[in-house]
Amino acid sequence: MKKVLIAGAVGTAVLFGTLSSGIPGLPAADAQVAKAASELPNGIGGRVYLNSTGAVFTAKIVLPETVKNNDSVSTPYIYSGFRATSGTEADIGLQYSKQYNVWKPLMKVGSKNEETYIEGKDKFTYNKGFRPGSTVQMTIYKNLSGNTRMTLWGTNNDGYTGRIITEIQGTNIGTISKWKTLATAAVSYESQRDAIKATFSTSFNNITIDNKAVTPVVDTQDFAKVSVAGNNVTISVNK
């Protein structure tokens, strides 16, 4: 079964390239960057940038205890990623499954979205995922032997503690322009924006890039409150 981690058709379209806009604030939305400081395209949420060109991102993500997603059009996401100087954009992190009340891994690098699972697929995909309220250790490697890799370590909804390792192969990422972290509720079309009803809060703590602490810079607060303290950021989405 392919792409079972997607909560539904909306998530599939938004994440995996069947729409022109992509996840809010990400690559295909570049045409709308001019309004990014006030509003994300095709969704709501908060975004920070990390002014580093380093190769390895780490953070501890504190997942929401509860997620209120009281609509039929949006999907919550918590993720990081980067923009390469070549223009390639990466979305790497977690998507909420309302059906199973868990957070599941996702990766998209440029137009590539076919993950290779190296470890942990049976523990954190399908009907399993990271437990709400738990802490997930995230590591992203922009280029590991030509591939972009994500490792997530945490506890699933069955109480199992371990890791999942996924890659997008053949990305061959070169120089990074900047990194980012976001929490969003995404929709397929801008016309669905008014129907979004989503409330949740998450934190990225102890953010480092190449083992150096990096202080986030607030970019967008679109029905969201973004609070930075040192190399930690809390993003609360509420609409």
Side-chain angles (χ1 to χ4, degrees), residues 49-52 206-210 212-216 230-232:
Y49 284 124
L50 304 162
N51 292 318
S52 171
N206 194 27
I207 298 170
T208 70
I209 299 176
D210 291 351
K212 297 179 181 179
V214 180
T215 300
N231 62 330
N232 310 299

Side-chain angles (χ1 to χ4, degrees), residues 18-198:
T18 56
L19 297 174
S20 61
S21 296
I23 302 175
L26 285 163
D30 284 347
Q32 303 187 54
V33 155
K35 69 174 185 178
S38 60
E39 186 176 297
L40 292 172
N42 285 24
I44 62 168
R47 174 173 58 197
V48 302
Y49 284 124
L50 304 162
N51 292 318
S52 171
T53 60
V56 182
F57 170 97
T58 67
K60 291 183 178 179
I61 302 173
V62 181
L63 296 177
E65 289 278 358
T66 59
V67 176
K68 294 181 180 179
N69 188 205
N70 300 323
D71 63 62
S72 60
V73 297
S74 72
T75 302
Y77 298 92
I78 295 170
Y79 58 103
S80 183
F82 54 79
R83 178 176 297 166
T85 56
S86 65
T88 298
E89 195 105 13
D91 318 343
I92 301 170
L94 295 157
Q95 173 191 304
Y96 181 66
S97 167
K98 187 186 295 188
Q99 180 179 1
Y100 298 112
N101 188 31
V102 295
W103 290 87
K104 301 190 178 194
L106 68 90
M107 291 189 76
K108 184 176 185 295
V109 181
S111 61
K112 297 177 179 287
N113 56 57
E114 292 294 329
E115 301 100 329
T116 296
Y117 293 93
I118 297 171
E119 183 180 323
K121 181 179 180 180
D122 61 328
K123 299 297 185 181
F124 295 102
T125 63
Y126 301 105
N127 61 345
K128 294 181 173 63
F130 290 95
R131 187 172 67 194
S134 65
T135 297
V136 177
Q137 176 69 47
M138 168 187 274
T139 304
I140 301 171
Y141 304 87
K142 70 158 188 178
N143 189 329
L144 202 60
S145 301
N147 307 322
T148 299
R149 176 178 290 191
M150 172 178 68
T151 299
L152 298 172
W153 181 284
T155 302
N156 75 4
N157 48 319
D158 286 339
Y160 167 84
T161 297
R163 66 183 181 178
I164 184 168
I165 302 175
T166 62
E167 284 186 345
I168 301 289
Q169 298 187 335
T171 56
N172 297 305
I173 297 299
T175 304
I176 295 294
S177 171
K178 64 179 66 174
W179 291 78
K180 65 201 172 191
T181 64
L182 301 91
T184 67
V187 292
S188 297
Y189 305 102
E190 189 68 23
S191 60
Q192 297 171 317
R193 176 184 172 87
D194 289 344
I196 297 173
K197 296 180 180 178

